[in-house]
Amino acid sequence: MCLTRKQLLLVVKSVLAAVIVGAVGWQFARTLRSPELWEHEFSVRHEYLIPAGFLYLAAHTLWGTFWWQLLRSQGAHVPWIVGIRAYFVSQFGKYVPGKAWVLVLRVGLLHGYGLSPATVAVTATYETLTSMAAGALLGICLLPWAGNGVGIQLDSGQGVALIGIAGLPLALGLLNRATARIAARRRGPDARPLPSPSLRLLAQGLLQDTAGWCLLGLSLWLTVRGLTGGDIPMNTLVFLQDLAAVSLAYVAGFVVLVSPGGLGAREFVLQQVLSPQLVPTAGAAADGLAVVIALVLRLVWTLFEVACAGSLWMFARPMGDSITATKKPGHEKRQVTADG
């Protein structure tokens, strides 16, 4: 039986994802077998790990709120809790190679609110690119604090990629505004306007998403502290190191599109950046301890994300309420029944 082009592409993405995860897993397994690691004293402190999970949810709530603001800017009067519910539930789509299912799930979850698929998909794309751009900007600014493990120079290919990601929202915003104006002339005054967020809103989103990244940096610091017995102090230097680690690792996971949820790529970069920070306290066990921290951080974040999405899915379901989806100025209002 011959595979279609779409099926073949899915197979190739899945194989590449398996290769990446397998390669990183093999390297991590070797590191975890280090005798120095098992001679090191571990101390799991839940009083740090639990707040780390809540900080992760707070960061994504800020990012999800920005997406809701983008929807509102396009005349979509979607309740905040409905937007946040769609945001968190759709996050499960990132575990499919290619991550396009995030958009598909958001379109499906908001189909009862009179929103066109284009509006949902375009605003979701802006939200993702803006959050990654904020992370890339932080990564560029914090390269001096990332240590020698990451090995990124601004004049290298990785540095150029970071700069490119940082400029994506601005470039896309300018391109989309130009496209919207051209399309408006050709489609006539009565046509539905193309989604085109303002540059001011995108700038606001960068600041809002940067605050989210700071929360993720604090979440990583709490996780490190929860697994090192409090040996790592809380000061500006350590916070900047952890913020550099989490921003570079998260953006790396985003760039590797075939990796589901950035699995493998994110942990590898995180381990590389964290290892130099742990050498003063862990010595020869620093590499292995960095692997443990990267894996525990993934586990904590995933558990809290699943619990939050499940709670929102069960208890924040729209109860058939009727809402008003307002279009752009000049267009009429219409009543739409939300079926959840």
Side-chain angles (χ1 to χ4, degrees), residues 25-26 68 78 91 97 99 122 144 161 218 321 334:
W26 178 78
W68 172 75
V78 177
Q91 290 296 92
K99 304 179 177 69
V122 170
L218 188 57
D321 52 319
R334 57 174 181 169

Side-chain angles (χ1 to χ4, degrees), residues 249-329:
Y250 215 113
V251 171
F254 168 75
V255 171
V256 185
L257 293 177
V258 297
S259 179
L263 187 63
R266 187 194 300 177
E267 283 71 29
F268 175 77
V269 174
L270 193 59
Q271 185 259 345
Q272 295 294 306
V273 181
L274 279 179
S275 290
Q277 178 191 131
L278 300 172
V279 169
T281 56
D287 286 346
L289 185 56
V291 170
V292 173
I293 291 170
L295 295 177
V296 171
L297 185 70
R298 166 74 72 168
L299 178 63
V300 170
W301 285 2
T302 301
L303 287 176
F304 272 78
E305 187 172 60
V306 170
C308 179
S311 299
L312 289 171
W313 176 260
M314 292 298 296
F315 303 111
R317 295 177 64 87
M319 301 300 293
D321 52 319
S322 182
I323 65 166
T324 301
T326 308
K327 296 182 179 180
K328 284 287 189 180

Side-chain angles (χ1 to χ4, degrees), residues 111 181 185 190 293:
H111 77 280
R181 289 178 180 178
R185 297 193 193 103
D190 296 329
I293 291 170

Side-chain angles (χ1 to χ4, degrees), residues 102-257:
V102 172
L103 303 181
V104 175
L105 288 174
R106 292 192 191 183
V107 169
L109 288 165
L110 295 182
H111 77 280
Y113 284 84
L115 304 176
S116 68
T119 298
V120 178
V122 170
T123 53
T125 300
Y126 271 109
E127 175 270 315
T128 300
L129 293 180
T130 303
S131 61
M132 291 303 108
L137 282 171
L138 282 174
I140 292 170
C141 295
L142 298 176
L143 278 179
W145 287 271
N148 299 324
V150 67
I152 295 178
Q153 302 294 329
L154 287 182
D155 57 354
S156 66
Q158 298 96 325
V160 172
L162 275 175
I163 295 172
I165 294 171
L168 275 177
L170 178 60
L172 184 59
L174 293 173
L175 177 63
N176 198 18
R177 288 177 71 86
T179 303
R181 289 178 180 178
I182 295 172
R185 297 193 193 103
R186 294 183 177 180
R187 299 168 70 203
D190 296 329
R192 180 192 292 264
L194 295 177
S196 181
S198 68
L199 296 181
R200 180 180 179 180
L201 182 57
L202 293 178
Q204 175 188 327
L206 279 174
L207 292 175
Q208 194 166 310
D209 289 346
T210 299
W213 283 109
C214 291
L215 294 177
L216 290 182
L218 188 57
S219 175
L220 173 58
W221 174 80
L222 287 173
T223 304
V224 173
R225 194 166 175 84
L227 295 173
T228 57
D231 294 332
I232 305 297
M234 181 53 178
N235 54 45
T236 302
L237 175 61
V238 173
F239 175 71
L240 291 177
Q241 289 174 339
D242 289 343
L243 184 54
V246 77
S247 58
L248 290 171
Y250 215 113
V251 171
F254 168 75
V255 171
V256 185
L257 293 177

